[in-house]
């Protein structure tokens, strides 16, 4: 039996074209112990694949030239060497862009195409839905009454994020790339508003649809759109970096701005970046004084001071702090204790 | 009774000089109900004050011209109109850069100068210590064996962060601004290594002292140093944005790079920025399929597909996704189901 398969032929320089891929016909694999042979019915096409086309490190290993293109698929089992998996059953698998795939049964998920169609298992009930749901609920942490901004709002993940956010009581603003997409986002997905980023003055329009600022930004695109939205963040805002599709093409690292490069690191290395002011966290550290006092008493923490003496030394102490003259904690003794 | 007081005289243009401040003598205030009159003994001098000198919004309201300079102080109570607070008792208060202060007793913290000196109450046991402790433990979340990088390592907060990190089992690398500071950081504070950022090739030296990359970066300085450290982050790294002292002076917003401006927003608005890949969060969402399935069945989530048909449509679907042609979830049906 033969298997049509699309493989990675040439690393793209900027915008990928059809020349990046080639097709070949190979023999269908034979399942080993614990494996199943599947016939792909529907394959998923996802933007993260673009990131895998770079040679440099990303969150998944880069594609090798000649490698079959990976991807989720809904498939039916043609032959099984795994107990509990029967010929004819439907599964969601990493089937790739090919007609047949041999996969470990352990990594296959049985699905019921009678209750939901293939597209739903690859969409809201698949990785796409999990991305939207987990990213919004676990990182975005929406609270009733907050404003949620979603870029790539007409896309598979973005459209779900906004709908989930609405159910959780947020005001939801989408950003998308055409008037028609914005119409779909508003009328079909029920977002409160949607802005076409191709129209002029995104900053001004954002301000008018987010008069109370932005609390959560679920970012699928990166670049200039992200700069505009982040500038409107309220205190304690959450930026969920899910994708940077505007950066996947064309811009090589050297051309990206420092912020774009930083966002790429945040995404691909799954960083958490958080700004804080001590008063935000004070209530969360009831053990602080006892712990720190114990360390000081036990000599486990070295406390180094940069003391000065006299009221007139306050300003020089501050200026010295900014110019890097001081080491340790800057304090100024301005009066002697009286005996209590 | 008279009170010497330093007030904000002129907004600095770049590096503050002594001309930013002026001194005046005012009458000592009279405590009202629930207030105490305190005599400042030791005042704390902290870099965050620089941020308050800008006119634009920061995490605290900007200083007004003519306003007395605020700041933490160790003081003794001169007169009390608050039950439980007695003349002669020592307190840590927002006393400001002046000889006397009237404050609400509720906001005063009684301290014992016999067990720890004033500098300790303003340092490791004060806001400085809380900043280091809370930022590192609650945001940095150190794990045994991880690498922690701390900028401003010779400073009050940075020196504590590294010492706490060592106790928690991290390998700790400091960054500071002179050979002497680096010596103190290594020899007195016990960091594993400390790099002088004024010497050439910080990137190369970082690589040699962090051969396994960086897991936590506690940032007190921002700017180019931060760019060098963030480039060395491992997956799931945490960037604790505590201060940006390199950015407080000189650079006006228009001159700052996009990343510096982004970091300023992260700090002043206390944002959380987190990159993720769906597989990182999968285990955390056991309720996902039931919840999403329920929403879909109830029609609460609109699932929009961008379907195509035929094997030869896989590549065009992917290219269309990147060029913004698609709306909703992109899938390609490549085969019909057989009856099971």
């Amino acid at each position: 039996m033969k298997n049509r398969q699309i493989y990675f032929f040439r690393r793209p320089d900027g915008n990928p074209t059809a020349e990046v891929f080639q097709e070949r016909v190979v023999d269908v694999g034979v399942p080993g112990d614990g494996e199943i042979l599947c016939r792909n019915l529907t394959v998923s096409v996802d933007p993260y694949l673009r990131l895998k086309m770079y040679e440099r490190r990303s969150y998944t290993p880069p594609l090798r030239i000649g490698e079959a293109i990976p991807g989720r698929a809904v498939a039916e089992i043609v032959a099984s060497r795994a107990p509990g998996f029967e010929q004819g059953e439907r599964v969601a698998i990493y089937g790739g862009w090919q007609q047949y795939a041999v996969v470990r049964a352990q990594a296959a998920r049985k699905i019921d195409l009678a209750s939901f169609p293939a597209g739903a298992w690859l969409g809201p009930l698949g990785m796409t839905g999990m991305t939207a749901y987990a990213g919004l609920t676990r990182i975005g942490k929406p609270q009733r009454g907050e404003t949620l901004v979603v870029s790539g709002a007409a896309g598979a993940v973005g459209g779900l994020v906004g709908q989930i956010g609405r159910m959780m009581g947020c005001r939801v603003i989408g950003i998308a790339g055409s008037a028609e997409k914005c119409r779909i986002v508003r009328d079909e997905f029920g977002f409160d508003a949607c802005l076409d980023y191709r129209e002029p003055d995104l900053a001004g329009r954002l301000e008018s649809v987010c008069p109370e600022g932005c609390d959560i930004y679920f970012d699928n695109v990166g670049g200039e759109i992200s700069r505009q939205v982040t500038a409107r963040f309220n205190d304690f805002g959450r930026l969920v970096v899910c994708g940077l599709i505007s950066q996947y093409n064309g811009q090589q690292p050297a051309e990206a701005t420092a912020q774009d490069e930083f966002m790429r690191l945040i995404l691909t290395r799954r960083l958490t970046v958080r700004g804080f002011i001590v008063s935000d966290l004070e209530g969360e550290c009831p053990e602080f004084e006892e712990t720190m006092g114990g360390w000081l008493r036990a000599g486990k923490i070295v406390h180094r001071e940069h003391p000065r003496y006299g009221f007139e030394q306050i300003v020089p102490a501050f200026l010295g702090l900014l110019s890097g003259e001081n080491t340790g904690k800057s304090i100024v003794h301005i009066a002697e204790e009286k005996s209590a």
Side-chain angles (χ1 to χ4, degrees), chain A:
Chain A
M1 208 159 49
K2 295 295 177 184
N3 179 27
R4 264 174 97 179
Q5 180 182 72
I6 296 168
Y7 68 97
F8 191 40
F9 180 67
R10 181 187 292 164
R11 225 171 272 288
D13 179 23
N15 218 348
T17 61
E19 282 69 51
V20 164
F21 305 100
Q22 290 252 320
E23 204 183 304
R24 66 189 165 204
V25 174
V26 296
D27 285 336
V28 168
V30 176
D33 254 6
E35 292 184 330
I36 50 178
L37 168 63
C38 300
R39 179 170 161 265
N40 287 333
L41 302 173
T42 304
V43 303
S44 178
V45 171
D46 298 279
Y48 76 86
L49 182 65
R50 178 64 186 89
L51 273 184
K52 284 179 74 73
M53 292 182 181
Y54 286 110
E55 243 178 319
R56 61 193 156 122
R57 168 182 173 184
S58 178
Y59 47 80
T60 48
L63 282 175
R64 281 167 288 111
I65 299 298
E67 188 174 349
I69 302 292
R72 298 290 291 175
V74 161
E76 63 184 14
I77 300 177
V78 173
S80 170
R81 289 198 51 195
F85 287 79
E86 304 298 329
Q87 190 191 333
E89 285 186 309
R90 270 67 174 176
V91 282
I93 57 171
Y94 280 103
W97 294 5
Q98 55 189 346
Q99 291 178 302
Y100 293 92
V102 172
V103 298
R104 285 183 312 113
Q106 244 188 332
R109 194 160 157 12
K110 289 196 197 180
I111 57 171
D112 173 12
L113 290 181
S115 41
F116 297 108
W121 289 107
L122 294 173
L125 287 165
M127 289 297 165
T128 300
M130 176 63 104
T131 301
Y133 180 86
L136 182 64
T137 62
R138 298 313 195 261
I139 300 177
K141 295 179 182 141
Q143 303 294 313
R144 195 158 287 279
E146 286 190 327
T147 297
L148 162 66
V149 179
V150 184
S151 62
V157 169
L160 292 172
V161 168
Q163 295 185 68
I164 299 169
R166 285 272 301 173
M167 281 193 282
M168 295 186 165
C170 291
R171 200 161 164 275
V172 179
I173 311 299
I175 301 176
S178 73
E180 172 60 8
K181 284 184 178 178
C182 288
R183 189 197 62 73
I184 291 166
V185 168
R186 272 189 309 261
D187 297 352
E188 293 187 24
F189 299 160
F191 285 41
D192 294 283
C194 189
L195 303 177
D196 181 353
Y197 68 83
R198 300 189 182 190
E199 295 290 319
D201 192 25
L202 179 62
R205 287 179 295 138
L206 261 175
E207 187 160 354
S208 65
V209 296
C210 303
E212 291 172 16
C214 165
D215 300 296
I216 308 170
Y217 176 37
F218 195 106
D219 192 4
N220 292 303
V221 305
E224 184 54 27
I225 294 172
S226 297
R227 277 187 282 281
Q228 296 296 345
V229 179
T230 52
R232 295 207 50 74
F233 257 126
N234 292 325
D235 285 356
F236 308 111
R238 284 86 72 200
L239 170 46
V240 186
V241 185
C242 177
L244 300 169
I245 201 168
S246 76
Q247 305 300 306
Y248 292 171
N249 275 322
Q251 285 195 322
Q252 298 302 314
E255 298 157 25
T257 72
Q259 183 178 344
D260 294 331
E261 182 60 18
F262 187 41
M263 292 286 278
R264 190 186 68 79
L265 285 175
I266 290 168
L267 174 63
T268 59
R269 303 201 185 160
R270 289 94 107 200
L271 307 180
T272 300
V273 180
R274 183 170 159 195
F276 80 108
I277 306 303
V278 58
S279 49
D280 303 338
L281 294 174
E282 249 182 292
E284 286 178 43
C285 298
E287 81 286 8
F288 164 67
E289 195 172 303
E290 200 182 316
T291 304
M292 182 63 80
W295 285 337
L296 280 173
R297 258 183 233 102
K300 290 188 171 174
I301 285 275
V302 174
H303 165 50
R304 186 182 171 106
E305 290 178 5
H306 195 107
R308 303 197 191 210
Y309 299 87
F311 193 86
E312 58 292 335
Q313 285 300 310
I314 297 176
V315 168
F318 177 69
L319 300 178
L321 185 68
L322 292 182
S323 66
E325 277 172 40
N326 301 3
T327 303
K329 174 65 191 165
S330 293
I331 53 172
V332 185
H333 297 294
I334 63 169
E336 297 285 320
E337 288 184 74
K338 292 189 179 130
S339 54

